[in-house]
Amino acid sequence: MKPILRWSIMAVLATVLYGGPSYADLSEPDQNTLTKNLETLSKGWSQADASSAFKIFRQNSYAREDYSKFFKDFFQHQAFTDHLKVYFGYLGFAFSEKYQDIRQKVNPALAEVLANKLLKPFDEQGQQLAEWFEQNPEEARSFFNQLAFLNQYSQTEAIAINLRRVYQYIWQQVPLVDAPIRDNNYHWWPHIKQQLAVNYLDANQGQVPNELLGHWDGRRQKLLENYGLLLLDNNQLLDHEVKQISQLVAKLPKQLLNIRFIHIRSQHSLLTKNNVVSSHESITKYDTNTAGLPKLTSVNSDLVVKRPAMSSVAARQHFLQLLLAELGKELAKRQAANAQNKTKLGQTVVVDGELASSISSWLFATHQTLANAVESWQNGQTGAIKQLFRVAELLSEGKTKAIAFDFASEKISFSLLKLARDEEGKITSLVTTQAQYDFTYDESGALVDIKII
């Protein structure tokens, strides 16, 4: 990176992340104690070290700059491990309201150092960065954890526009790193690139940057351009699978689709001499080295689905049902969110498992799901039809129409479903392309009859 560009990025970042007078550098005893505490916490949880570090972070005599100087020195030779990511996430986010000094001093100082630290591997490794990550997995995981931490942090503070400049520069280097890659023998680089894309999209707060948009093509690009939705599958999905996802998303009410990315975690492994396949085939051998890759992190809603390592029709249908099951959970969260307390990291909701299951069934085979629910009611089981009423209300948004979905092996069909309601808002009729269902209630509002026309 050119020195002027580095300075311009970090100067703007530091303006918000850090500033104000420096009262005193950390004393030597505090530096030694905090170094010991964090080295221990980098390997696992220690309540004694966490409490000791907390006392130093609470000291009024230290300013942001003091912590920034300490973190800059400490992280020169210390990886940002999984355990440190968890510790600082807990420290910074759990106590951000109660302890303003941590929010205003420790978090910004750490974020500034980590953002600057992200630029170094690109400077030092250039086109060999992907290979360097494979040879240094601890550094790769540290890099990923920094991205994940900053993604969370940028949602709790008004600094997304500043981090965006860091992500923009890094993303502009991605094609240079991609250039030498000619095969799939890379575990870490695709994973890091996907997390970086999530960070960059989140930092742009709903506006899709051109650099990001230009990296995808075809239906994946349209998903990003039209819905702000990243499909992170490392080009492993078959074309008609991507098409089905695109068609589904296009039919869902936009205000219900609070999803930033769909991450496909495949059981595909490394290409080996004894197991060479084409891009549309899958590898049955599972490489256990891939199991340690961390999950993508975002405070926005996301879908993470494991795709079976098979490409048969049955496996593809199973994959789509897994995807719809996850989508059902997200839509159930959206319905429940208004009744829950909001937090700095998003909304804590209790997902109704039955509702989520009913949503996923509706999105996969509406007509059959409805017929099954009516048959269950006729046999004395009322739960299924009650859940479908909830789904119909959720997807119709109180209107008189909703979308019916039916998946086939390589296509998805849509049709309109018409609803009628009584004065109290209860659904009295559902008319599909295959049947009409009329519902009768008693004076107490209980469903007493279903007629199929």
Side-chain angles (χ1 to χ4, degrees):
M1 179 190 291
K2 296 179 181 179
I4 294 178
L5 183 55
R6 174 189 283 280
W7 181 89
S8 64
I9 290 175
M10 299 318 301
V12 174
L13 187 65
T15 300
V16 175
L17 291 181
Y18 134 108
S22 174
Y23 299 107
D25 291 340
L26 266 64
S27 68
E28 186 172 345
D30 282 346
Q31 289 186 50
N32 294 336
T33 299
L34 192 55
T35 296
K36 173 187 172 297
N37 296 154
L38 296 182
E39 285 178 347
T40 301
L41 290 167
S42 72
K43 301 179 180 69
W45 181 256
S46 164
Q47 185 59 53
D49 286 275
S51 299
S52 176
F54 187 68
K55 290 180 181 179
I56 296 175
F57 289 141
R58 288 294 321 280
Q59 288 196 31
N60 293 328
S61 59
Y62 295 142
R64 274 180 275 189
E65 185 178 9
D66 303 316
Y67 294 117
S68 180
K69 290 178 180 178
F70 171 81
F71 288 138
K72 183 177 181 180
D73 181 66
F74 179 76
F75 283 109
Q76 281 187 353
H77 306 290
Q78 171 64 54
F80 195 65
T81 65
D82 294 354
H83 298 294
L84 284 178
K85 178 169 69 91
V86 170
Y87 169 71
F88 279 110
Y90 175 75
L91 175 74
F93 303 134
F95 296 122
S96 61
E97 291 293 338
K98 186 176 180 180
Y99 297 104
Q100 291 293 324
D101 47 358
I102 290 178
R103 179 179 177 182
Q104 296 170 0
K105 296 178 183 179
V106 180
N107 282 13
L110 179 61
E112 178 205 355
V113 170
L114 295 185
N116 201 4
K117 188 175 172 64
L118 288 177
L119 304 176
K120 291 183 64 177
F122 288 91
D123 289 347
E124 296 173 353
Q125 304 301 327
Q127 287 188 306
Q128 285 71 47
L129 181 59
E131 184 175 355
W132 182 76
F133 278 143
E134 296 307 309
Q135 297 170 351
N136 299 273
E138 185 181 77
E139 293 288 349
R141 185 175 286 274
S142 177
F143 191 94
F144 180 91
N145 285 338
Q146 292 166 59
L147 285 173
F149 177 85
L150 288 172
N151 182 247
Q152 285 188 315
Y153 178 71
S154 65
Q155 303 296 326
T156 64
E157 304 289 343
I159 63 163
I161 190 172
N162 300 288
L163 283 171
R164 184 171 67 195
R165 298 189 64 179
V166 177
Y167 302 142
Q168 180 183 31
Y169 175 80
I170 297 177
W171 193 260
Q172 289 170 344
Q173 313 310 307
V174 166
L176 300 177
V177 182
D178 282 342
I181 297 177
R182 294 290 181 265
D183 55 45
N184 295 326
N185 291 324
Y186 292 87
H187 290 96
W188 278 105
W189 178 242
H191 207 67
I192 286 173
K193 190 166 61 173
Q194 288 173 344
Q195 179 63 61
L196 177 60
V198 171
N199 282 41
Y200 195 16
L201 184 63
D202 284 351
N204 277 270
Q205 299 175 321
Q207 295 185 354
V208 182
N210 291 331
E211 296 91 352
L212 201 58
L213 190 62
H215 194 81
W216 277 262
D217 55 18
R219 292 191 176 93
R220 292 175 181 82
Q221 186 184 72
K222 290 190 178 298
L223 277 172
L224 184 57
E225 185 175 17
N226 296 335
Y227 304 100
L229 176 61
L230 281 165
L231 179 56
L232 304 173
D233 67 316
N234 204 24
N235 292 321
Q236 295 179 77
L237 295 185
L238 303 181
D239 184 65
H240 69 266
E241 291 176 325
V242 180
K243 181 179 180 180
Q244 287 176 324
I245 293 173
S246 301
Q247 290 174 323
L248 176 68
V249 169
K251 295 296 183 180
L252 287 174
K254 289 185 178 180
Q255 52 268 44
L256 294 179
L257 193 71
N258 186 35
I259 299 171
R260 304 300 284 148
F261 65 87
I262 298 176
H263 180 212
I264 308 301
R265 298 187 69 178
S266 175
Q267 291 184 1
H268 291 209
S269 68
L270 289 173
L271 295 177
T272 64
K273 293 181 180 179
N274 298 325
N275 206 354
V276 179
V277 298
S278 71
S279 59
H280 279 186
E281 293 176 330
S282 59
I283 305 169
T284 56
K285 179 182 177 182
Y286 184 66
D287 190 326
T288 56
N289 290 331
T290 64
L293 293 175
K295 175 184 173 181
L296 290 172
T297 303
S298 175
V299 296
N300 296 301
S301 296
D302 61 271
L303 294 176
V304 180
V305 183
K306 180 170 286 189
R307 184 177 187 268
M310 296 176 288
S311 58
S312 66
V313 171
R316 291 200 299 269
Q317 293 238 117
H318 177 60
F319 158 70
L320 288 169
Q321 287 179 309
L322 288 175
L323 177 65
L324 293 174
E326 293 299 317
L327 184 60
K329 293 177 184 177
E330 290 299 330
L331 294 181
K333 286 181 183 179
R334 293 288 283 171
Q335 188 184 60
N338 292 335
Q340 302 295 325
N341 293 326
K342 295 182 179 180
T343 69
K344 280 288 181 179
L345 290 181
Q347 296 172 333
T348 303
V349 298
V350 178
V351 179
D352 186 328
E354 291 184 359
L355 176 61
S357 177
S358 297
I359 292 172
S360 62
S361 297
W362 180 291
L363 296 178
F364 191 76
T366 304
H367 296 96
Q368 188 60 52
T369 300
L370 181 56
N372 292 345
V374 171
E375 183 179 355
S376 294
W377 183 86
Q378 292 171 335
N379 292 329
Q381 299 173 347
T382 62
I385 195 67
K386 289 180 179 179
Q387 290 298 333
L388 280 195
F389 282 158
R390 293 178 66 190
V391 176
E393 291 292 1
L394 176 66
L395 296 181
S396 68
E397 302 177 287
K399 300 175 184 177
T400 59
K401 295 180 180 179
I403 299 291
F405 304 82
D406 284 284
F407 275 89
S409 61
E410 295 191 7
K411 65 179 181 179
I412 178 173
S413 61
F414 306 96
S415 59
L416 278 179
L417 183 151
K418 298 181 180 179
L419 298 86
R421 299 177 178 83
D422 61 18
E423 293 180 354
E424 295 181 356
K426 290 184 176 297
I427 295 176
T428 59
S429 175
L430 286 175
V431 181
T432 75
T433 56
Q434 299 181 8
Q436 175 176 331
Y437 302 90
D438 292 333
F439 307 98
T440 303
Y441 304 87
D442 62 18
E443 293 181 355
S444 66
L447 180 64
V448 295
D449 187 37
I450 301 177
K451 290 183 178 180
I452 307 175
I453 302 175

